[in-house]
Amino acid sequence: MRYSFSRKRNRFASVIALVSMLGMVLGVASLITVLAIMNGFAGELRGRILSLVPHGYVEPVDRGQLENWRALANTLEMQPQILALAPYISDKVIVAGPAQLRGAVLTAIEPSLEAGVSGIAAAMVHGSLTDLQAEPFSVVLGISLARALGVGPGDSVEVTIPRLTVTPLGTFPRSKRLRVTGLFQINAQPDGHQAYVSLQTGQRLFATGSAVDGLQVRTADLMTAPQQLAALAPVLPPGLVVRDWSQTQGSLFRAVKMEKIMVGLLLLSVVAVAAFNIVSSLVMSVAEKRGDIAVLRTMGARAGGIMGIFVAHGLGLAAAGIGCGTLLGVLLASNVAAVTARLEDWLGMKLFDPAVYFISELPADLLWQDVLWVVAAALLLSLVATLYPAWRAARIAPAEVLRYE
């Protein structure tokens, strides 16, 4: 410790050691902060999208039609893990408004049952789902979809369905003009492509008669829904399967998780560069103290002891940088929203426009397991970086060095 902070050291060696430590501070702080922000984004995405998505679906194996769905619903409602059920019909359509055409997903629902399986009713910003039941051939649009089409409540849109109608004049795709009675907003991607109609309207539009595509299911807990829904398989009639949200939406969250891992590895390379800068500092230290090492060896110091001195010297510098970087990273991650707001005031501009990014500020979720693995990885890289210079110091031959002293 005395040697590490001695004023008699070579100035250039001291600068190299300081740069190594500052690099470690910046690398660790940035890694902790970015991981917290990515956790925040994943949480926002999970909370908003999964609030609109049922926990699972019961549907035919071949994606056909489910005829006697009411009897099936009565059977499934007796299962203890099922809290609510609701029928649905869903397909991709083309929606035309005064402004432009847009592709969308049109879902037919039973408004009185839908509130039990998804959060669409709570996301309504104009009108309500019950308006779909009260007015035939009406539709509820996501607010971003309505904005792109140039329509609002009271306007009409032309919906073209991928089902063919055969007439004496030829074969034409089926289309129908629907009146917009409501808008919903969850500040996520479904705002730009999702639309809802009543079950009766959907059955007429898609020509399914009294049949539906399947049943939406809600369980007691979203995170354990895959395991709970898997237990339904033995009680389902032949030809039916159950899918949970991890199968319908899992690819999105797996992509977010993979992105976090890749960004973490990329930022860890910054920590690795800072750690291996310690090699330069220790090599210069070994060259500077060759005479002292030779004297210690002649006094009986073992090679392992000399190696331990330089490992401790390198780890001391790294630990100081890691400690400061961890403190700085935790402070930034805990106050990232305030820092962003201050930066916006200073720049005089809005960094995150809610109309574009679906958020108004940077979300952050600091997980202590992330902090621990960042610290552990930084210490491991630092330890590896100290081994070669320390090994070279331990191999110095005292006779060769003292011959010229």
Side-chain angles (χ1 to χ4, degrees):
M1 291 298 293
R2 183 185 63 174
Y3 171 68
S4 298
F5 300 99
S6 173
R7 294 184 179 180
K8 296 181 180 181
R9 291 191 64 193
N10 182 287
R11 285 184 177 273
F12 185 69
S14 299
V15 170
I16 294 296
L18 181 62
V19 169
S20 302
M21 189 171 68
L22 290 179
M24 189 67 70
V25 171
L26 294 176
V28 171
S30 61
L31 185 51
I32 290 175
T33 304
V34 169
L35 289 179
I37 292 174
M38 296 196 72
N39 290 334
F41 272 116
E44 287 286 324
L45 193 65
R46 185 182 303 109
R48 294 179 182 186
I49 292 183
L50 294 186
S51 67
L52 199 66
V53 176
H55 294 181
Y57 302 87
V58 175
E59 56 192 18
V61 176
D62 56 359
R63 302 300 177 95
Q65 299 297 314
L66 184 60
E67 296 288 347
N68 194 13
W69 63 270
R70 296 184 187 276
L72 177 62
N74 292 333
T75 301
L76 294 179
E77 283 176 347
M78 294 187 293
Q79 301 299 316
Q81 67 267 43
I82 302 300
L83 297 185
L85 293 159
Y88 77 95
I89 305 172
S90 185
D91 206 343
K92 295 178 180 178
V93 299
I94 297 175
V95 185
Q100 60 176 315
L101 299 172
R102 292 292 294 268
V105 176
L106 184 65
T107 303
I109 58 174
E110 187 69 49
S112 59
L113 300 176
E114 187 67 21
V117 297
S118 74
I120 180 62
M124 297 295 296
V125 295
H126 190 283
S128 66
L129 289 182
T130 56
D131 296 335
L132 296 176
Q133 198 74 37
E135 184 175 346
F137 296 106
S138 57
V139 64
V140 167
L141 302 176
I143 194 165
S144 299
L145 177 60
R147 188 183 300 117
L149 296 173
V151 297
D155 297 330
S156 296
V157 294
E158 188 79 18
V159 176
T160 302
I161 302 165
R163 309 287 172 93
L164 297 178
T165 300
V166 180
T167 69
L169 298 178
T171 303
F172 301 94
R174 186 176 300 160
S175 64
K176 182 68 177 178
R177 183 166 291 275
L178 304 180
R179 183 172 179 271
V180 180
T181 58
L183 302 174
F184 71 88
Q185 181 178 17
I186 63 169
N187 290 324
Q189 288 87 344
D191 290 349
H193 63 75
Q194 186 67 56
Y196 292 94
V197 296
S198 68
L199 186 63
Q200 292 75 16
T201 298
Q203 288 173 333
R204 296 178 65 180
L205 290 175
F206 296 113
T208 63
S210 60
V212 298
D213 285 350
L215 295 176
Q216 303 174 85
V217 182
R218 183 178 181 85
T219 62
D221 182 39
L222 175 68
M223 292 298 107
T224 60
Q227 293 78 21
Q228 296 184 44
L229 293 176
L232 287 179
V235 302
L236 291 178
L240 296 180
V241 295
V242 59
R243 295 188 301 138
D244 58 76
W245 67 267
S246 67
Q247 296 170 291
T248 60
Q249 304 291 327
S251 59
L252 175 63
F253 295 103
R254 284 192 294 270
V256 172
K257 184 178 180 180
M258 180 60 65
E259 184 178 4
K260 176 184 174 182
I261 293 173
M262 295 307 299
V263 170
L265 291 176
L266 289 174
L267 287 177
L268 191 61
S269 65
V270 177
V271 179
V273 170
F276 282 93
N277 278 339
I278 297 173
V279 175
S280 303
S281 177
L282 288 183
V283 167
M284 296 185 68
S285 297
V286 171
E288 185 180 353
K289 303 299 288 185
R290 285 172 61 88
D292 297 331
I293 295 171
V295 171
L296 285 174
R297 290 301 305 275
T298 58
M299 294 174 62
R302 295 178 178 272
I306 299 298
M307 187 174 179
I309 290 173
F310 284 94
V311 169
H313 173 46
L315 284 181
L317 292 175
I322 293 171
C324 294
T326 301
L327 180 61
L328 180 60
V330 169
L331 289 176
L332 281 175
S334 302
N335 300 278
V336 67
V339 172
T340 304
R342 184 64 59 88
L343 185 60
E344 289 176 342
D345 293 340
W346 182 57
L347 295 176
M349 60 180 294
K350 192 71 174 176
L351 295 178
F352 298 97
D353 185 358
V356 178
Y357 297 103
F358 297 113
I359 59 171
S360 58
E361 62 182 20
L362 274 179
D365 182 14
L366 182 63
L367 301 179
W368 289 109
Q369 56 264 37
D370 287 344
V371 177
L372 290 177
W373 87 254
V374 168
V375 171
L379 286 173
L380 179 61
L381 289 172
S382 301
L383 175 61
V384 172
T386 62
L387 294 179
Y388 176 73
W391 176 75
R392 293 288 297 178
R395 287 178 57 86
I396 289 177
E400 294 182 6
V401 174
L402 296 178
R403 181 183 305 168
Y404 304 101
E405 289 291 333

PDB file of all heavy atoms in Angstrom, residues 285-299 306 310 393 396-405:
ATOM      1  N   SER A 285       6.050  -1.273 -12.971  1.00  0.00           N
ATOM      2  CA  SER A 285       6.407  -1.381 -11.557  1.00  0.00           C
ATOM      3  C   SER A 285       7.491  -2.434 -11.347  1.00  0.00           C
ATOM      4  O   SER A 285       8.435  -2.233 -10.565  1.00  0.00           O
ATOM      5  CB  SER A 285       5.165  -1.742 -10.727  1.00  0.00           C
ATOM      6  OG  SER A 285       4.194  -0.731 -10.811  1.00  0.00           O
ATOM      7  N   VAL A 286       7.360  -3.560 -12.053  1.00  0.00           N
ATOM      8  CA  VAL A 286       8.368  -4.608 -11.930  1.00  0.00           C
ATOM      9  C   VAL A 286       9.715  -4.118 -12.438  1.00  0.00           C
ATOM     10  O   VAL A 286      10.776  -4.334 -11.806  1.00  0.00           O
ATOM     11  CB  VAL A 286       7.919  -5.866 -12.714  1.00  0.00           C
ATOM     12  CG1 VAL A 286       9.057  -6.891 -12.781  1.00  0.00           C
ATOM     13  CG2 VAL A 286       6.693  -6.486 -12.047  1.00  0.00           C
ATOM     14  N   ALA A 287       9.726  -3.430 -13.575  1.00  0.00           N
ATOM     15  CA  ALA A 287      10.983  -2.904 -14.114  1.00  0.00           C
ATOM     16  C   ALA A 287      11.599  -1.874 -13.177  1.00  0.00           C
ATOM     17  O   ALA A 287      12.827  -1.798 -13.018  1.00  0.00           O
ATOM     18  CB  ALA A 287      10.728  -2.288 -15.489  1.00  0.00           C
ATOM     19  N   GLU A 288      10.769  -1.063 -12.530  1.00  0.00           N
ATOM     20  CA  GLU A 288      11.246   0.000 -11.641  1.00  0.00           C
ATOM     21  C   GLU A 288      11.835  -0.574 -10.351  1.00  0.00           C
ATOM     22  O   GLU A 288      12.752   0.022  -9.764  1.00  0.00           O
ATOM     23  CB  GLU A 288      10.075   0.940 -11.331  1.00  0.00           C
ATOM     24  CG  GLU A 288      10.450   2.163 -10.524  1.00  0.00           C
ATOM     25  CD  GLU A 288       9.253   3.042 -10.249  1.00  0.00           C
ATOM     26  OE1 GLU A 288       8.163   2.766 -10.789  1.00  0.00           O
ATOM     27  OE2 GLU A 288       9.393   4.013  -9.477  1.00  0.00           O
ATOM     28  N   LYS A 289      11.317  -1.709  -9.893  1.00  0.00           N
ATOM     29  CA  LYS A 289      11.715  -2.241  -8.584  1.00  0.00           C
ATOM     30  C   LYS A 289      12.520  -3.527  -8.696  1.00  0.00           C
ATOM     31  O   LYS A 289      12.541  -4.338  -7.771  1.00  0.00           O
ATOM     32  CB  LYS A 289      10.464  -2.492  -7.735  1.00  0.00           C
ATOM     33  CG  LYS A 289       9.589  -1.265  -7.545  1.00  0.00           C
ATOM     34  CD  LYS A 289      10.301  -0.122  -6.846  1.00  0.00           C
ATOM     35  CE  LYS A 289      10.504  -0.418  -5.388  1.00  0.00           C
ATOM     36  NZ  LYS A 289      11.094   0.736  -4.660  1.00  0.00           N
ATOM     37  N   ARG A 290      13.222  -3.727  -9.813  1.00  0.00           N
ATOM     38  CA  ARG A 290      14.013  -4.948  -9.978  1.00  0.00           C
ATOM     39  C   ARG A 290      15.054  -5.091  -8.866  1.00  0.00           C
ATOM     40  O   ARG A 290      15.262  -6.180  -8.329  1.00  0.00           O
ATOM     41  CB  ARG A 290      14.712  -4.936 -11.341  1.00  0.00           C
ATOM     42  CG  ARG A 290      13.792  -5.222 -12.510  1.00  0.00           C
ATOM     43  CD  ARG A 290      14.516  -4.991 -13.835  1.00  0.00           C
ATOM     44  NE  ARG A 290      15.664  -5.885 -13.963  1.00  0.00           N
ATOM     45  CZ  ARG A 290      15.605  -7.101 -14.471  1.00  0.00           C
ATOM     46  NH1 ARG A 290      14.442  -7.591 -14.877  1.00  0.00           N
ATOM     47  NH2 ARG A 290      16.705  -7.840 -14.573  1.00  0.00           N
ATOM     48  N   GLY A 291      15.704  -3.987  -8.527  1.00  0.00           N
ATOM     49  CA  GLY A 291      16.715  -4.051  -7.472  1.00  0.00           C
ATOM     50  C   GLY A 291      16.119  -4.436  -6.138  1.00  0.00           C
ATOM     51  O   GLY A 291      16.683  -5.264  -5.394  1.00  0.00           O
ATOM     52  N   ASP A 292      14.997  -3.860  -5.791  1.00  0.00           N
ATOM     53  CA  ASP A 292      14.346  -4.189  -4.514  1.00  0.00           C
ATOM     54  C   ASP A 292      13.899  -5.641  -4.475  1.00  0.00           C
ATOM     55  O   ASP A 292      13.969  -6.308  -3.430  1.00  0.00           O
ATOM     56  CB  ASP A 292      13.139  -3.272  -4.303  1.00  0.00           C
ATOM     57  CG  ASP A 292      13.552  -1.810  -4.184  1.00  0.00           C
ATOM     58  OD1 ASP A 292      14.680  -1.569  -3.735  1.00  0.00           O
ATOM     59  OD2 ASP A 292      12.752  -0.932  -4.553  1.00  0.00           O
ATOM     60  N   ILE A 293      13.408  -6.132  -5.631  1.00  0.00           N
ATOM     61  CA  ILE A 293      12.991  -7.538  -5.692  1.00  0.00           C
ATOM     62  C   ILE A 293      14.195  -8.449  -5.459  1.00  0.00           C
ATOM     63  O   ILE A 293      14.127  -9.442  -4.706  1.00  0.00           O
ATOM     64  CB  ILE A 293      12.345  -7.840  -7.058  1.00  0.00           C
ATOM     65  CG1 ILE A 293      11.045  -7.052  -7.215  1.00  0.00           C
ATOM     66  CG2 ILE A 293      12.079  -9.329  -7.224  1.00  0.00           C
ATOM     67  CD1 ILE A 293      10.457  -7.111  -8.603  1.00  0.00           C
ATOM     68  N   ALA A 294      15.342  -8.103  -6.079  1.00  0.00           N
ATOM     69  CA  ALA A 294      16.551  -8.922  -5.900  1.00  0.00           C
ATOM     70  C   ALA A 294      17.003  -8.943  -4.451  1.00  0.00           C
ATOM     71  O   ALA A 294      17.393  -9.995  -3.918  1.00  0.00           O
ATOM     72  CB  ALA A 294      17.660  -8.388  -6.803  1.00  0.00           C
ATOM     73  N   VAL A 295      16.945  -7.785  -3.778  1.00  0.00           N
ATOM     74  CA  VAL A 295      17.344  -7.713  -2.360  1.00  0.00           C
ATOM     75  C   VAL A 295      16.425  -8.586  -1.513  1.00  0.00           C
ATOM     76  O   VAL A 295      16.871  -9.320  -0.619  1.00  0.00           O
ATOM     77  CB  VAL A 295      17.334  -6.252  -1.879  1.00  0.00           C
ATOM     78  CG1 VAL A 295      17.523  -6.191  -0.365  1.00  0.00           C
ATOM     79  CG2 VAL A 295      18.419  -5.452  -2.581  1.00  0.00           C
ATOM     80  N   LEU A 296      15.107  -8.503  -1.783  1.00  0.00           N
ATOM     81  CA  LEU A 296      14.156  -9.323  -1.022  1.00  0.00           C
ATOM     82  C   LEU A 296      14.419 -10.816  -1.224  1.00  0.00           C
ATOM     83  O   LEU A 296      14.346 -11.594  -0.272  1.00  0.00           O
ATOM     84  CB  LEU A 296      12.710  -8.990  -1.450  1.00  0.00           C
ATOM     85  CG  LEU A 296      12.137  -7.663  -0.938  1.00  0.00           C
ATOM     86  CD1 LEU A 296      10.761  -7.408  -1.566  1.00  0.00           C
ATOM     87  CD2 LEU A 296      11.999  -7.685   0.582  1.00  0.00           C
ATOM     88  N   ARG A 297      14.753 -11.193  -2.449  1.00  0.00           N
ATOM     89  CA  ARG A 297      15.015 -12.604  -2.709  1.00  0.00           C
ATOM     90  C   ARG A 297      16.269 -13.071  -1.976  1.00  0.00           C
ATOM     91  O   ARG A 297      16.306 -14.186  -1.440  1.00  0.00           O
ATOM     92  CB  ARG A 297      15.190 -12.844  -4.221  1.00  0.00           C
ATOM     93  CG  ARG A 297      13.908 -12.700  -5.042  1.00  0.00           C
ATOM     94  CD  ARG A 297      12.817 -13.665  -4.598  1.00  0.00           C
ATOM     95  NE  ARG A 297      13.268 -15.046  -4.605  1.00  0.00           N
ATOM     96  CZ  ARG A 297      13.243 -15.822  -5.693  1.00  0.00           C
ATOM     97  NH1 ARG A 297      12.770 -15.342  -6.825  1.00  0.00           N
ATOM     98  NH2 ARG A 297      13.672 -17.064  -5.628  1.00  0.00           N
ATOM     99  N   THR A 298      17.322 -12.211  -1.918  1.00  0.00           N
ATOM    100  CA  THR A 298      18.541 -12.604  -1.201  1.00  0.00           C
ATOM    101  C   THR A 298      18.316 -12.665   0.294  1.00  0.00           C
ATOM    102  O   THR A 298      19.025 -13.369   1.007  1.00  0.00           O
ATOM    103  CB  THR A 298      19.671 -11.613  -1.494  1.00  0.00           C
ATOM    104  OG1 THR A 298      19.272 -10.295  -1.122  1.00  0.00           O
ATOM    105  CG2 THR A 298      20.047 -11.633  -2.966  1.00  0.00           C
ATOM    106  N   MET A 299      17.317 -11.930   0.788  1.00  0.00           N
ATOM    107  CA  MET A 299      16.991 -11.975   2.221  1.00  0.00           C
ATOM    108  C   MET A 299      16.108 -13.167   2.569  1.00  0.00           C
ATOM    109  O   MET A 299      15.745 -13.352   3.728  1.00  0.00           O
ATOM    110  CB  MET A 299      16.290 -10.681   2.631  1.00  0.00           C
ATOM    111  CG  MET A 299      17.193  -9.443   2.527  1.00  0.00           C
ATOM    112  SD  MET A 299      16.283  -7.903   2.852  1.00  0.00           S
ATOM    113  CE  MET A 299      15.769  -8.170   4.542  1.00  0.00           C
ATOM    114  N   ILE A 306       6.880 -12.864  -3.648  1.00  0.00           N
ATOM    115  CA  ILE A 306       7.074 -11.749  -4.583  1.00  0.00           C
ATOM    116  C   ILE A 306       5.879 -11.645  -5.531  1.00  0.00           C
ATOM    117  O   ILE A 306       5.358 -10.561  -5.799  1.00  0.00           O
ATOM    118  CB  ILE A 306       8.373 -11.935  -5.384  1.00  0.00           C
ATOM    119  CG1 ILE A 306       9.586 -11.961  -4.437  1.00  0.00           C
ATOM    120  CG2 ILE A 306       8.527 -10.836  -6.430  1.00  0.00           C
ATOM    121  CD1 ILE A 306       9.783 -10.677  -3.668  1.00  0.00           C
ATOM    122  N   PHE A 310       2.854  -8.347  -6.044  1.00  0.00           N
ATOM    123  CA  PHE A 310       2.408  -7.635  -7.244  1.00  0.00           C
ATOM    124  C   PHE A 310       0.954  -7.950  -7.605  1.00  0.00           C
ATOM    125  O   PHE A 310       0.257  -7.107  -8.165  1.00  0.00           O
ATOM    126  CB  PHE A 310       3.351  -7.947  -8.411  1.00  0.00           C
ATOM    127  CG  PHE A 310       4.653  -7.211  -8.302  1.00  0.00           C
ATOM    128  CD1 PHE A 310       5.755  -7.800  -7.701  1.00  0.00           C
ATOM    129  CD2 PHE A 310       4.772  -5.912  -8.764  1.00  0.00           C
ATOM    130  CE1 PHE A 310       6.954  -7.119  -7.577  1.00  0.00           C
ATOM    131  CE2 PHE A 310       5.963  -5.219  -8.645  1.00  0.00           C
ATOM    132  CZ  PHE A 310       7.064  -5.819  -8.041  1.00  0.00           C
ATOM    133  N   ALA A 393       7.863 -10.972 -12.251  1.00  0.00           N
ATOM    134  CA  ALA A 393       8.588 -10.437 -11.093  1.00  0.00           C
ATOM    135  C   ALA A 393       9.172 -11.567 -10.259  1.00  0.00           C
ATOM    136  O   ALA A 393      10.302 -11.474  -9.751  1.00  0.00           O
ATOM    137  CB  ALA A 393       7.655  -9.573 -10.251  1.00  0.00           C
ATOM    138  N   ILE A 396      12.600 -13.067 -11.549  1.00  0.00           N
ATOM    139  CA  ILE A 396      13.814 -12.251 -11.617  1.00  0.00           C
ATOM    140  C   ILE A 396      14.941 -12.945 -10.853  1.00  0.00           C
ATOM    141  O   ILE A 396      14.763 -13.354  -9.689  1.00  0.00           O
ATOM    142  CB  ILE A 396      13.547 -10.847 -11.058  1.00  0.00           C
ATOM    143  CG1 ILE A 396      12.654 -10.059 -12.034  1.00  0.00           C
ATOM    144  CG2 ILE A 396      14.848 -10.089 -10.807  1.00  0.00           C
ATOM    145  CD1 ILE A 396      12.286  -8.688 -11.542  1.00  0.00           C
ATOM    146  N   ALA A 397      16.113 -13.080 -11.484  1.00  0.00           N
ATOM    147  CA  ALA A 397      17.274 -13.733 -10.852  1.00  0.00           C
ATOM    148  C   ALA A 397      18.054 -12.688 -10.054  1.00  0.00           C
ATOM    149  O   ALA A 397      18.572 -11.720 -10.625  1.00  0.00           O
ATOM    150  CB  ALA A 397      18.158 -14.361 -11.915  1.00  0.00           C
ATOM    151  N   PRO A 398      18.187 -12.822  -8.725  1.00  0.00           N
ATOM    152  CA  PRO A 398      18.871 -11.806  -7.906  1.00  0.00           C
ATOM    153  C   PRO A 398      20.320 -11.581  -8.339  1.00  0.00           C
ATOM    154  O   PRO A 398      20.778 -10.429  -8.352  1.00  0.00           O
ATOM    155  CB  PRO A 398      18.772 -12.379  -6.491  1.00  0.00           C
ATOM    156  CG  PRO A 398      17.635 -13.330  -6.533  1.00  0.00           C
ATOM    157  CD  PRO A 398      17.602 -13.894  -7.903  1.00  0.00           C
ATOM    158  N   ALA A 399      21.034 -12.644  -8.676  1.00  0.00           N
ATOM    159  CA  ALA A 399      22.460 -12.487  -9.025  1.00  0.00           C
ATOM    160  C   ALA A 399      22.650 -11.614 -10.238  1.00  0.00           C
ATOM    161  O   ALA A 399      23.546 -10.736 -10.280  1.00  0.00           O
ATOM    162  CB  ALA A 399      23.071 -13.859  -9.253  1.00  0.00           C
ATOM    163  N   GLU A 400      21.808 -11.786 -11.265  1.00  0.00           N
ATOM    164  CA  GLU A 400      21.946 -10.991 -12.481  1.00  0.00           C
ATOM    165  C   GLU A 400      21.647  -9.513 -12.237  1.00  0.00           C
ATOM    166  O   GLU A 400      22.258  -8.636 -12.815  1.00  0.00           O
ATOM    167  CB  GLU A 400      21.036 -11.542 -13.561  1.00  0.00           C
ATOM    168  CG  GLU A 400      21.412 -12.930 -14.055  1.00  0.00           C
ATOM    169  CD  GLU A 400      20.490 -13.394 -15.166  1.00  0.00           C
ATOM    170  OE1 GLU A 400      19.655 -12.593 -15.597  1.00  0.00           O
ATOM    171  OE2 GLU A 400      20.638 -14.555 -15.601  1.00  0.00           O
ATOM    172  N   VAL A 401      20.675  -9.239 -11.380  1.00  0.00           N
ATOM    173  CA  VAL A 401      20.292  -7.844 -11.107  1.00  0.00           C
ATOM    174  C   VAL A 401      21.352  -7.175 -10.236  1.00  0.00           C
ATOM    175  O   VAL A 401      21.814  -6.053 -10.527  1.00  0.00           O
ATOM    176  CB  VAL A 401      18.916  -7.791 -10.423  1.00  0.00           C
ATOM    177  CG1 VAL A 401      18.606  -6.354 -10.013  1.00  0.00           C
ATOM    178  CG2 VAL A 401      17.842  -8.338 -11.343  1.00  0.00           C
ATOM    179  N   LEU A 402      21.821  -7.851  -9.163  1.00  0.00           N
ATOM    180  CA  LEU A 402      22.746  -7.238  -8.222  1.00  0.00           C
ATOM    181  C   LEU A 402      24.161  -7.130  -8.789  1.00  0.00           C
ATOM    182  O   LEU A 402      24.987  -6.383  -8.242  1.00  0.00           O
ATOM    183  CB  LEU A 402      22.766  -8.044  -6.915  1.00  0.00           C
ATOM    184  CG  LEU A 402      21.441  -8.058  -6.141  1.00  0.00           C
ATOM    185  CD1 LEU A 402      21.550  -8.909  -4.888  1.00  0.00           C
ATOM    186  CD2 LEU A 402      21.029  -6.633  -5.760  1.00  0.00           C
ATOM    187  N   ARG A 403      24.453  -7.836  -9.854  1.00  0.00           N
ATOM    188  CA  ARG A 403      25.774  -7.772 -10.463  1.00  0.00           C
ATOM    189  C   ARG A 403      26.087  -6.346 -10.932  1.00  0.00           C
ATOM    190  O   ARG A 403      27.227  -5.911 -10.941  1.00  0.00           O
ATOM    191  CB  ARG A 403      25.829  -8.732 -11.636  1.00  0.00           C
ATOM    192  CG  ARG A 403      27.189  -8.777 -12.343  1.00  0.00           C
ATOM    193  CD  ARG A 403      27.130  -9.691 -13.545  1.00  0.00           C
ATOM    194  NE  ARG A 403      26.667 -11.024 -13.141  1.00  0.00           N
ATOM    195  CZ  ARG A 403      26.306 -11.958 -13.997  1.00  0.00           C
ATOM    196  NH1 ARG A 403      26.324 -11.683 -15.298  1.00  0.00           N
ATOM    197  NH2 ARG A 403      25.893 -13.129 -13.580  1.00  0.00           N
ATOM    198  N   TYR A 404      25.027  -5.611 -11.339  1.00  0.00           N
ATOM    199  CA  TYR A 404      25.231  -4.273 -11.861  1.00  0.00           C
ATOM    200  C   TYR A 404      24.855  -3.163 -10.890  1.00  0.00           C
ATOM    201  O   TYR A 404      24.834  -2.007 -11.240  1.00  0.00           O
ATOM    202  CB  TYR A 404      24.423  -4.090 -13.148  1.00  0.00           C
ATOM    203  CG  TYR A 404      24.740  -5.141 -14.201  1.00  0.00           C
ATOM    204  CD1 TYR A 404      23.893  -6.240 -14.405  1.00  0.00           C
ATOM    205  CD2 TYR A 404      25.904  -5.046 -14.950  1.00  0.00           C
ATOM    206  CE1 TYR A 404      24.186  -7.193 -15.333  1.00  0.00           C
ATOM    207  CE2 TYR A 404      26.238  -5.994 -15.899  1.00  0.00           C
ATOM    208  CZ  TYR A 404      25.362  -7.079 -16.096  1.00  0.00           C
ATOM    209  OH  TYR A 404      25.653  -8.042 -17.029  1.00  0.00           O
ATOM    210  N   GLU A 405      24.519  -3.543  -9.648  1.00  0.00           N
ATOM    211  CA  GLU A 405      24.131  -2.545  -8.657  1.00  0.00           C
ATOM    212  C   GLU A 405      25.398  -1.928  -8.015  1.00  0.00           C
ATOM    213  O   GLU A 405      26.396  -2.619  -7.781  1.00  0.00           O
ATOM    214  CB  GLU A 405      23.265  -3.196  -7.569  1.00  0.00           C
ATOM    215  CG  GLU A 405      21.869  -3.560  -8.085  1.00  0.00           C
ATOM    216  CD  GLU A 405      21.000  -2.369  -8.380  1.00  0.00           C
ATOM    217  OE1 GLU A 405      21.216  -1.302  -7.757  1.00  0.00           O
ATOM    218  OE2 GLU A 405      20.159  -2.470  -9.265  1.00  0.00           O
TER     219      GLU A 405
END
